[in-house]
């Protein structure tokens, strides 16, 4: 099963070398067939130059420049339209996600043949390091609202770091979110449309370089829009978009 890792990058010249080298070394250590797909989201710093240099030492690295429109969601979607693997993970350029967790996701998907694997930082075995207190509070409130309205048990929907089979990505299109609200659109659509998933603990570490691209004040109504969209689909679409399950053909009886 070939793994693709889609990484959106906007002004990440400082973070990318450590992130991409560590990610490649980890996946190579486990012998996982993979590609690392970085979308340079029209960065204003030397992100593109750094990617050009790193591509000379990381054989599985491919990169694109998204000409626009730009934004986190657009950058991820640009990568999701171009990856070549059998499954794809969304991974952050700032090394907040742990490559060892990605390996756990990958083996969990293989083990149970799940359509998706989601991480949670808030279950036994999960952890956060240097998480800003205000952002943590907002995160827990937002996830509680999502859980209550959608009627789900999963408690870390807003975390972008998740793994999907190619068929799952195709089945939850078209994508609507241009910004960070894509982080909840992908898993909520997968759940509403009947795709199977497993949840494993994962860790999150605050970035060492640069600044967060998530502007909470700008995102509230956008998150609510996608949440409302998924809620409407869940209760009013009459299953039109659900995963199509093809029944296995029964073997013909002897003599027929």
């Amino acid at each position: 099963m070939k793994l693709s890792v889609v990484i959106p990058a906007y002004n990440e010249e400082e973070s990318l070398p450590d992130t991409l080298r560590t990610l490649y070394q980890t996946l190579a250590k486990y012998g996982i067939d993979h590609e690392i797909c970085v979308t340079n989201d029209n960065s204003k710093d030397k992100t593109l130059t750094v990617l050009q240099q790193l591509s000379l030492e990381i054989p599985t690295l491919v990169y694109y420049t998204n000409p626009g429109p730009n934004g986190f969601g657009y950058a991820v979607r640009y990568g999701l339209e171009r990856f070549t693997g059998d499954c794809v993970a969304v991974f952050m350029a700032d090394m907040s996600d742990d490559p060892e967790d990605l390996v756990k996701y990958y083996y969990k998907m293989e083990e149970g043949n799940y359509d998706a694997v989601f991480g949670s930082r808030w279950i036994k075995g999960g952890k956060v390091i240097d998480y800003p207190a205000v952002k943590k509070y907002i995160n827990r409130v937002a996830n509680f609202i999502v859980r209550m309205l959608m009627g789900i048990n999963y408690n870390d929907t807003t975390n972008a770091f998740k793994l999907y089979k190619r068929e799952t990505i195709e089945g939850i299109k078209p994508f609507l979110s241009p910004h960070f609200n894509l982080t909840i659109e992908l898993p909520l659509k997968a759940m509403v449309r009947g795709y199977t998933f497993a949840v494993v603990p994962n860790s999150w570490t605050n970035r060492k370089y640069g600044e967060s691209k998530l502007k909470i004040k700008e995102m509230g109504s956008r998150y609510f829009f996608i949440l409302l969209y998924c809620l409407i689909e869940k209760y009013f679409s009459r299953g039109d978009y659900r995963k199509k399950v093809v029944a296995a053909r029964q073997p013909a009886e002897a003599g027929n």
Side-chain angles (χ1 to χ4, degrees):
M1 186 170 69
K2 182 179 178 181
L3 168 67
S4 295
V5 187
V6 167
I7 303 176
Y10 177 71
N11 292 349
E12 295 286 4
E13 62 174 321
E14 295 177 299
S15 298
L16 280 173
D18 284 348
T19 298
L20 298 185
R21 287 179 181 133
T22 304
L23 178 59
Y24 171 71
Q25 290 165 4
T26 302
L27 296 177
K29 177 177 69 174
Y30 288 95
I32 295 175
D33 183 21
H34 72 277
E35 64 174 356
I36 301 170
C37 308
V38 181
T39 300
N40 167 37
D41 199 33
N42 255 336
S43 298
K44 302 301 186 287
D45 64 356
K46 296 179 181 178
T47 290
L48 181 57
T49 301
V50 169
L51 287 170
Q52 292 168 340
Q53 294 170 346
L54 288 172
S55 68
L56 300 177
E57 64 176 273
I58 300 177
T60 58
L61 173 62
V62 294
Y63 61 89
Y64 314 98
T65 293
N66 175 23
N70 299 117
F72 176 87
Y74 284 125
V76 173
R77 288 162 56 178
Y78 201 85
L80 292 179
E81 293 294 342
R82 289 163 176 79
F83 77 94
T84 64
D86 303 298
C87 58
V88 60
V90 178
F91 195 90
M92 301 305 285
D94 60 8
M95 200 58 181
S96 56
D97 303 319
D98 187 341
E100 290 286 344
D101 287 333
L102 178 56
V103 173
K104 289 195 302 184
Y105 287 18
Y106 178 85
Y107 286 131
K108 187 69 174 180
M109 177 173 280
E110 278 199 326
E111 170 194 321
N113 195 28
Y114 295 104
D115 297 320
V117 177
F118 302 154
S120 175
R121 299 162 289 183
W122 316 108
I123 61 175
K124 184 178 181 181
K127 64 179 179 179
V128 294
I129 300 170
D130 295 331
Y131 204 116
V134 173
K135 289 183 68 174
K136 181 178 179 180
Y137 175 78
I138 294 173
N139 175 285
R140 303 319 303 135
V141 170
N143 275 284
F144 176 78
I145 292 171
V146 172
R147 287 173 62 194
M148 292 301 100
L149 289 179
M150 295 299 299
I152 58 177
N153 291 323
Y154 179 51
N155 67 355
D156 203 5
T157 311
T158 58
N159 184 12
F161 182 29
K162 295 175 171 65
L163 177 66
Y164 304 88
K165 281 187 178 178
R166 172 176 286 278
E167 294 82 2
T168 308
I169 289 296
E170 292 302 320
I172 60 179
K173 290 180 178 179
F175 304 132
L176 304 175
S177 303
H179 301 290
F180 279 90
N181 47 344
L182 187 70
T183 62
I184 69 170
E185 179 182 352
L186 301 184
L188 288 181
K189 277 186 175 177
M191 285 186 268
V192 167
R193 297 185 182 184
Y195 290 89
T196 60
F197 66 95
V199 179
V200 297
N202 75 288
S203 63
W204 182 93
T205 304
N206 201 10
R207 63 166 55 241
K208 295 179 181 178
Y209 309 104
E211 60 180 20
S212 173
K213 311 303 186 296
L214 174 60
K215 307 301 180 185
I216 295 174
K217 291 182 179 179
E218 300 175 5
M219 287 307 302
S221 61
R222 292 183 172 120
Y223 275 110
F224 182 74
F225 165 73
I226 289 300
L227 177 57
L228 188 60
Y229 174 91
C230 293
L231 195 65
I232 291 171
E233 181 176 313
K234 179 176 182 177
Y235 291 108
F236 296 101
S237 68
R238 302 181 68 84
D240 289 341
Y241 306 103
R242 287 185 65 83
K243 176 184 177 182
K244 302 299 187 289
V245 179
V246 179
R249 294 183 62 184
Q250 296 296 323
E253 294 183 10
N256 286 356

